[in-house]
Amino acid sequence: MPDHFLPDGLTRTDGTLHIESIPLTQVAQEYGTPCYVYSAAAIRNAYREFVEAFAALDPLICYAVKANGNLSILHLLSQQGSGFDIVSGGELSRVLAAGGSADKVVFSGVGKSAAEMAQALQAGVHCFNVESAAELRRLSQVASHLGLRAPVSLRVNPDVDPGTHPYIATGLKESKFGVAYADAFALYEEAARLPGLDVAGIDCHIGSQITDLAPFVAALEKILDLANRLRNAGIPLRHLDLGGGVGIRYRDETPIVLADYARAIAERLQGSGLRLLLEPGRRIIGNAGLLLTRVEYLKLSSDHRFAIVDAAMNDLIRPSLYEAWHEIVPVSERASPAALLDVVGPVCETGDILGRARSLAVAEGDLLAILSAGAYGASMGSNYNARPRPAEILVDGQSTRLIRRREAVEELYRNEWPPA
Ligand SMILES: *Cc1c(COP(=O)(O)O)cnc(C)c1O
């Protein structure tokens, strides 16, 4: 059976799925299952695609750490010149531990604590993306107290519908994110007066897995109009940050062509003097990683047919959380006829489904690759059901490198103790 679609970095050679030049059978043998496996070339290619498409605009590309914050992945991207979009002090620590530079970091998120603000101010981040009036005032206080000025942009909510899953739409006016478009101007006037702030830019992030250019353009036009009005009012901005959200192909989506996106932005940004910032996450790492798992059991009855695998919703929650589709393919092809199977994990939840009604020719002990799992896979993983987090492996040409050790069970309860 031909593979439906293989992301960059994957090939099938002599019936066996390879990541770069490494057969996934070898990865499973060496590191065990379940494990996340990433292609370094695919990550570099996806990053370079942004750099090349947007070359004329010379943007600061701030990879969204929450998509996948593994230190080796952050290091790789930092070496390519990437900056980072963070949503917590923890993510800032990750970026710095990976060798990233703070002056290329933008700090997003609705609930920054005073301690996180101080940490980011002292590290010297490029900008705080502020999401409320209360946060603006607190940030000014924290900065003043430290004798510093915080570079700020307001995350403005342009109220556009990105046409994506409601859980990952963030730019509608009822969303908890950003400040209302109608309130933004007055808030900028206040920001310009506050002593601890340096008004630097404007930003928005309208949602995730967006495959249509129109909502991005609509958001850009609204944000740009506001930036122009601010300049006319004597509050000039230095940058415009359009956030992330560019979608990828999981199944049969037609992703946005980055050159088209770049052209649409360039036409509108021309002459504004604003530097462009982008915060891509999924588009960089989503298709560069897979979850490798082994079939423990086939459970075949007249009512239902299951492949029970050793990965579960705690390792990859997107199918359970968003009914997201991940392509699932056998690592080694079999000649036997395919059957329709639900691919499920061992977790005690009915929702522990990785893929429904998949046509697969598999036997117990076979390896399956759950594709396009690089973004919001490992980073959203949990220890539910006392399941240790899987190992993560980075493949780079001929080499494989363990970039996260499989968790040991004792690590799960090392911060707990029974009564003496
Ligand atoms: C999640 C997030 C991103 C990245 O989104 P992707 O869909 O992965 O590109 C960028 N910016 C902000 C503020 C985010 O919350």
Side-chain angles (χ1 to χ4, degrees), residues 132-352:
S132 66
E135 185 194 336
L136 198 66
R137 291 165 199 150
R138 183 192 281 182
L139 180 58
S140 176
Q141 276 175 2
V142 173
S144 298
H145 190 72
L146 293 170
L148 297 169
R149 282 175 81 199
V152 294
S153 105
L154 286 182
R155 175 168 174 178
V156 176
N157 196 325
D159 193 25
V160 298
D161 184 351
T164 188
H165 189 287
Y167 283 14
I168 51 179
T170 55
L172 290 165
K173 63 178 183 295
E174 60 269 29
S175 136
K176 76 170 177 179
F177 297 102
V179 301
Y181 190 79
D183 300 341
F185 192 91
L187 219 48
Y188 267 106
E189 291 181 311
E190 180 176 350
R193 286 193 303 267
L194 285 170
L197 303 182
D198 165 29
V199 176
I202 188 163
D203 89 288
C204 68
H205 170 73
I206 57 174
S208 204
Q209 185 52 19
I210 298 168
T211 51
D212 181 6
L213 209 49
F216 283 119
V217 171
L220 170 61
E221 287 181 342
K222 289 188 83 168
I223 299 298
L224 194 55
D225 179 64
L226 185 53
N228 287 334
R229 282 188 282 132
L230 286 165
R231 190 188 51 218
N232 295 339
I235 306 175
L237 307 178
R238 301 193 290 272
H239 74 246
L240 184 148
D241 179 347
L242 264 183
V246 184
I248 60 168
R249 178 167 179 193
Y250 285 98
R251 188 177 187 180
D252 48 16
E253 302 88 342
T254 309
I256 287 170
V257 176
L258 290 185
D260 295 344
Y261 186 26
R263 205 172 312 113
I265 296 175
E267 278 169 13
R268 291 164 177 84
L269 222 53
Q270 207 173 32
S272 69
L274 293 166
R275 185 180 192 198
L276 177 68
L277 266 67
L278 295 169
E279 302 169 352
R282 190 188 311 268
R283 184 70 177 246
I284 303 275
I285 190 71
N287 265 325
L290 59 85
L291 177 57
L292 186 60
T293 184
R294 198 178 283 284
V295 177
E296 292 279 7
Y297 300 102
L298 292 179
K299 184 170 175 177
L300 309 174
S301 76
S302 50
D303 290 336
H304 237 102
R305 302 167 73 82
F306 295 103
I308 301 169
V309 299
D310 63 5
M313 65 186 286
N314 71 294
D315 304 310
L316 179 65
I317 202 170
R318 297 188 68 258
S320 309
L321 192 59
Y322 313 129
E323 296 187 324
W325 172 282
H326 287 266
E327 193 63 29
I328 303 178
V329 297
V331 167
S332 304
E333 280 177 332
R334 285 188 173 275
S336 51
L340 272 192
L341 298 167
D342 285 354
V343 179
V344 301
V347 161
C348 296
E349 294 283 342
T350 308
D352 182 19

